Amino acid sequence: MPETLLSASNITLFGRVVEDIQINPDDKNKSHSPSEAPQKGTKSAVQKQLTEGSETDDSSARLARVYGFSYQGAYLEMTSPALFLVHGKGVKASDIKVPGPSSQDENFYRELRAWSYDRADQTIRLDVDSGTFEQVLLDTIGDGGAGVSGARVSGARVSGARVSGARVSGARVSGARISGARGDASD
């Protein structure tokens, strides 16, 4: 990949295509009868991403489990892999000329693929959680007491302090009180 003026806004995702989930948007496969008029209006950017490409040119939308990404010359490993909308099968991670995961672990690295996007491109992220119903459903609703219970934050972004991709799951705060706190260094 050549260095260009726009390289600074490039994001390269590293992961593997999830083979057992396929994207089948209505726009591609549904023909409208004359009595069934198509929906009016313009497609959103995410809808366009879902319907972009075709099976014949192998650039169709699919989901990939992403383990990390490269941005502004640094490789960042994700705390927990997530599913992202990507296009095509990707290229071999070894063919990408940006920082990426270590090739030392051959079993992991061998099948790894890469996809490049501009940071302003639209995408879909799906966080997959597994466990018992108690863990993934009931623990998220909390016990209804005072304070915060069963909080779940995913994909948080705070500008200025630059916190991005934060994930808090199943947090419980009950009856917390901060009184007369001072936030200056003179304490």
Side-chain angles (χ1 to χ4, degrees):
M1 175 175 4
E3 187 71 21
T4 69
L5 186 59
L6 298 176
S7 294
S9 70
N10 191 56
I11 293 175
T12 302
L13 305 174
F14 293 91
R16 291 188 183 88
V17 170
V18 177
E19 300 290 338
D20 56 348
I21 299 176
Q22 302 208 343
I23 297 174
N24 190 10
D26 284 344
D27 289 358
K28 272 188 182 177
N29 302 308
K30 186 176 181 182
S31 62
H32 298 282
S33 66
S35 63
E36 189 181 336
Q39 187 176 5
K40 298 201 187 291
T42 59
K43 288 184 180 181
S44 72
V46 175
Q47 284 175 316
K48 287 178 185 175
Q49 290 289 351
L50 281 170
T51 58
E52 209 173 75
S54 69
E55 291 294 331
T56 56
D57 67 3
D58 201 32
S59 64
S60 63
R62 56 194 78 205
L63 294 173
R65 180 167 284 113
V66 172
Y67 299 97
F69 60 96
S70 182
Y71 178 63
Q72 292 188 340
Y75 174 73
L76 303 158
E77 194 168 296
M78 295 181 63
T79 343
S80 178
L83 300 181
F84 279 85
L85 174 69
V86 296
H87 295 88
K89 294 180 180 178
V91 297
K92 288 183 180 179
S94 58
D95 293 345
I96 297 292
K97 305 293 184 222
V98 296
S102 171
S103 59
Q104 303 266 332
D105 184 0
E106 278 190 48
N107 288 333
F108 175 75
Y109 193 78
R110 185 179 320 125
E111 301 292 323
L112 211 57
R113 310 298 284 181
W115 298 266
S116 291
Y117 293 96
D118 185 82
R119 68 179 179 201
D121 286 343
Q122 295 287 319
T123 191
I124 296 174
R125 174 183 170 155
L126 301 171
D127 290 344
V128 178
D129 205 355
S130 65
T132 65
F133 277 104
E134 181 178 23
Q135 294 168 327
V136 299
L137 178 64
L138 299 178
D139 283 353
T140 64
I141 62 171
D143 47 302
V148 177
S149 184
R152 183 178 194 98
V153 177
S154 183
R157 182 181 179 102
V158 177
S159 284
R162 269 203 106 133
V163 175
S164 183
R167 182 172 179 190
V168 177
S169 181
R172 286 179 190 231
V173 177
S174 184
R177 179 186 295 243
I178 298 176
S179 173
R182 286 178 39 183
D184 60 328
S186 64
D187 287 345

